[in-house]
Amino acid sequence: MKHILDGDGKIAYALVRPSGHHAQPTQVVGYCFLNNAGLAVQLALDSGCQKAVAIDIDVQYYGNGTA
């Protein structure tokens, strides 16, 4: 993500496990300790990006921490 924010690239993609998408800002949920997608979006916004998107595909549960 930092690579993109520093202007060294145009697009980023991360396929990570565990996804962390259930983790809340102050609460661990299941096996999700840190919300990787949420942290990446927050980093982008804090770095001055006007828009950021996280596509959370989960066939089991809604990614409540990301939303």
Side-chain angles (χ1 to χ4, degrees), residues 3-26:
H3 180 76
I4 301 300
L5 295 172
D6 289 342
D8 296 325
K10 294 182 180 183
I11 162 177
Y13 175 80
L15 179 60
V16 296
R17 283 303 288 163
S19 59
H21 61 175
H22 296 294
Q24 304 293 318
T26 60

Side-chain angles (χ1 to χ4, degrees), residues 5 38-50 52:
L5 295 172
L39 290 171
V41 168
Q42 190 63 57
L43 175 64
L45 296 174
D46 290 347
S47 296
C49 290
Q50 296 294 316

